Amino acid sequence: ALPIYLLSFFRIPKKVVHKIVSIQRNFLWGAHQEARKIPWVKWDIVCLPKSQGGLGIKDLSLFNEALLGKWGWQLANDHNQPWSRILTSKYGGWKELISGGRRNNSSQWWQDLKIIFQQQHNNCLSDNFKWRVGTGSNIRFWKDIWLENNCDLQGRYPQLYVISKQQHSSISSMGDFVEGRWEWKLSWRRDFFDHEIQMVADLLAEIDSAHLNQSNRDILWWKPDPNGLFSTRSAYKVLQETHHSISQDNVLNTMWKLKIPPKVSAFSWRLLKNRLPSRDNLRKRQVTMPSYSCPLCDHEEESVDHLMFKCVMTRNLWWEPLSWVNRVGPFSIDPKNHFLQFTQWSSKASTNRRWEFLWLALSFSIWHYRNAMIFKNQPFNPEKVMDDALFHTWSWLKYVEKDSQLHFHSWSTNLQDVFS
């Protein structure tokens, strides 16, 4: 709790971020002070959610910004809190936070908060803040977002903003309530040109749709939440989507939902992203080796695609399961496409899940025996690889399918029924 509290109160220095991320990276890739190992996946990708192909590790800088974001939201909405009144009287409150310049007499905490909010206000989080108008006393007419089009009037009507006498005025100072109905009183520096008349008409039509209320206070609304409430989780998601191009990865999303050992999930994640230390990947990273040929067949350079799906020693391992259910057809050598072709063919979700477990178990066993051959001089026996893959599949399914009480021997001798 203490580190989270510090992150929610202070802006984290970049040097501290680099140091913590360095510790995280070394832990993930197994590096230590004596030896540095290859970071196989970019840290930005590691920090993505699992459904988008990452490991869901928090990006500290973005998480820090999301935590600090609550200060601004509460400052705008909780006017009666003592801390809010103090900040408003001393520094100017919300308006000064998002648009004010640097003051020499302000605290370092306030300066850091302004950096966070003014940076966000121009880039990402501000697009998700919107004012719900009450009296209009806290909302700037031209510069704040308060209309249904989610755009500030200064950006929407820049020519009219230039000739306005009320550029910095709040909504409440630009009109009056007459017999309970709000009437606008806009003031201009000069008469309108012909081409500006239509702009004024559009502006008036747009602002007339706003409903001011003398009895309600202005509320800063957080659009990502249906209730308008700011939360660190939704803010972090918005920041991450803004800083990173995120797209749904259905294969990885499916894989992470399977109840398999974490080390198998991590292996499969690297396999689907082509981040295993195959010999072609080591060559690309300028690692010198006596040979880059496949250790199983010694015919082609070892790549993930070749090792798993093209090599003469592993190719038949993928065809054998098809013979159990009389399936035929060519497979892609791309891991993601191969996974989809191999697993998504039945109308029964339970059957497809069994094929998903088998695909992961067989891939993991191939890699395991490949390493045993290289580092322990053990022979690569395809029959042993398949036996191990079936045992892994059976052991994982046993915990998922609670009604299955078959012993491994009985289960493995009836594969046609199991995978049909």
Side-chain angles (χ1 to χ4, degrees):
L2 186 58
I4 297 298
Y5 170 76
L6 293 174
L7 284 172
S8 66
F9 197 83
F10 298 106
R11 182 170 175 242
I12 187 170
K14 290 184 178 180
K15 288 185 178 180
V16 177
V17 173
H18 293 329
K19 182 62 176 178
I20 295 175
V21 169
S22 176
I23 295 171
Q24 291 176 309
R25 287 164 60 95
N26 290 340
F27 175 80
L28 178 63
W29 302 118
H32 48 79
Q33 292 182 351
E34 289 75 21
R36 297 178 60 86
K37 294 191 177 181
I38 298 174
W40 289 96
V41 181
K42 290 182 180 179
W43 192 250
D44 287 347
I45 297 176
V46 172
C47 291
L48 291 178
K50 290 183 177 180
S51 59
Q52 275 89 40
L55 292 180
I57 297 174
K58 285 285 191 294
D59 183 313
L60 282 178
S61 296
L62 299 184
F63 188 49
N64 180 225
E65 291 184 16
L67 287 166
L68 291 172
K70 184 169 286 190
W71 286 101
W73 183 78
Q74 291 181 340
L75 181 63
N77 289 328
D78 296 341
H79 302 293
N80 296 324
Q81 295 292 331
W83 68 268
S84 179
R85 297 203 304 268
I86 291 172
L87 291 179
T88 300
S89 63
K90 187 171 183 179
Y91 300 125
W94 167 259
K95 295 179 182 178
E96 184 69 19
L97 181 65
I98 63 172
S99 61
R102 182 181 177 88
R103 291 184 179 180
N104 295 328
N105 61 343
S106 59
S107 68
Q108 186 62 49
W109 178 83
W110 180 256
Q111 293 177 23
D112 288 343
L113 200 63
K114 287 181 66 173
I115 292 173
I116 292 292
F117 264 87
Q118 292 184 17
Q119 171 186 329
Q120 293 173 355
H121 188 73
N122 294 327
N123 292 316
C124 39
L125 281 189
S126 64
D127 295 335
N128 294 277
F129 281 122
K130 178 182 177 180
W131 282 100
R132 289 208 164 184
V133 185
T135 62
S137 58
N138 294 309
I139 306 172
R140 297 173 300 174
F141 178 83
W142 287 104
K143 298 184 178 182
D144 287 330
I145 299 174
W146 55 280
L147 293 171
E148 293 300 325
N149 57 24
N150 295 324
C151 180
D152 61 273
L153 292 174
Q154 178 183 352
R156 191 166 174 80
Y157 301 99
Q159 287 181 268
L160 298 183
Y161 170 76
V162 170
I163 63 174
S164 173
K165 287 184 177 180
Q166 303 158 306
Q167 293 181 350
H168 306 290
S169 300
S170 64
I171 294 176
S172 61
S173 64
M174 300 186 70
D176 289 309
F177 283 99
V178 179
E179 296 181 355
R181 186 178 181 276
W182 179 260
E183 291 187 2
W184 293 102
K185 296 181 180 179
L186 306 183
S187 179
W188 310 97
R189 300 180 186 277
R190 57 169 173 78
D191 294 335
F192 302 118
F193 296 123
D194 290 342
H195 70 277
E196 295 173 337
I197 294 176
Q198 185 59 46
M199 294 183 194
V200 176
D202 293 341
L203 171 64
L204 292 174
E206 200 164 340
I207 62 178
D208 280 342
S209 63
H211 302 286
L212 276 75
N213 193 315
Q214 284 179 295
S215 59
N216 293 340
R217 66 184 181 89
D218 302 323
I219 298 175
L220 189 63
W221 192 264
W222 176 247
K223 292 188 292 182
D225 187 274
N227 298 318
L229 302 177
F230 183 92
S231 67
T232 300
R233 176 178 294 181
S234 61
Y236 179 77
K237 183 178 179 181
V238 168
L239 287 167
Q240 198 170 47
E241 290 175 349
T242 304
H243 284 74
H244 306 292
S245 178
I246 296 180
S247 59
Q248 192 77 9
D249 193 319
N250 293 327
V251 175
L252 284 166
N253 195 23
T254 299
M255 184 196 71
W256 286 119
K257 291 180 180 178
L258 296 175
K259 295 181 179 180
I260 56 178
K263 65 177 181 179
V264 180
S265 297
F267 161 79
S268 304
W269 173 65
R270 293 175 64 183
L271 167 62
L272 294 176
K273 288 190 165 295
N274 191 19
R275 293 297 187 270
L276 291 175
S278 57
R279 292 182 172 180
D280 71 323
N281 281 334
L282 293 172
R283 176 182 55 77
K284 292 174 184 176
R285 288 160 176 79
Q286 300 181 351
V287 177
T288 304
M289 300 184 67
S291 172
Y292 296 100
S293 299
C294 173
L296 306 187
C297 66
D298 200 30
H299 290 159
E300 297 183 28
E301 183 181 50
E302 183 197 46
S303 63
V304 169
D305 299 346
H306 170 82
L307 176 70
M308 291 292 174
F309 311 120
K310 291 175 62 179
C311 180
V312 294
M313 299 291 288
T314 60
R315 186 170 50 202
N316 290 335
L317 291 171
W318 298 103
W319 291 103
E320 182 180 343
L322 303 187
S323 65
W324 304 338
V325 293
N326 297 320
R327 285 177 61 196
V328 294
F331 285 111
S332 170
I333 61 172
D334 175 73
K336 288 187 180 180
N337 292 330
H338 192 282
F339 175 84
L340 292 173
Q341 289 179 276
F342 190 81
T343 61
Q344 308 298 314
W345 65 275
S346 175
S347 58
K348 296 180 181 179
S350 58
T351 300
N352 288 337
R353 183 176 56 200
R354 293 172 183 176
W355 284 92
E356 289 167 354
F357 279 154
L358 178 60
W359 191 93
L360 294 170
L362 188 51
S363 301
F364 184 72
S365 296
I366 291 174
W367 185 255
H368 174 76
Y369 277 91
R370 174 260 191 196
N371 289 340
M373 181 178 180
I374 294 176
F375 300 111
K376 298 180 181 179
N377 294 320
Q378 295 180 3
F380 186 88
N381 188 336
E383 292 184 1
K384 182 62 175 173
V385 173
M386 180 59 74
D387 288 342
D388 277 13
L390 287 173
F391 181 78
H392 288 314
T393 304
W394 169 79
S395 62
W396 300 340
L397 287 172
K398 186 173 64 172
Y399 289 99
V400 175
E401 301 175 356
K402 300 298 183 181
D403 56 341
S404 178
Q405 301 297 329
L406 289 177
H407 189 271
F408 174 68
H409 179 73
S410 302
W411 181 87
S412 61
T413 55
N414 194 26
L415 296 174
Q416 182 175 359
D417 292 338
V418 170
F419 288 96
S420 295

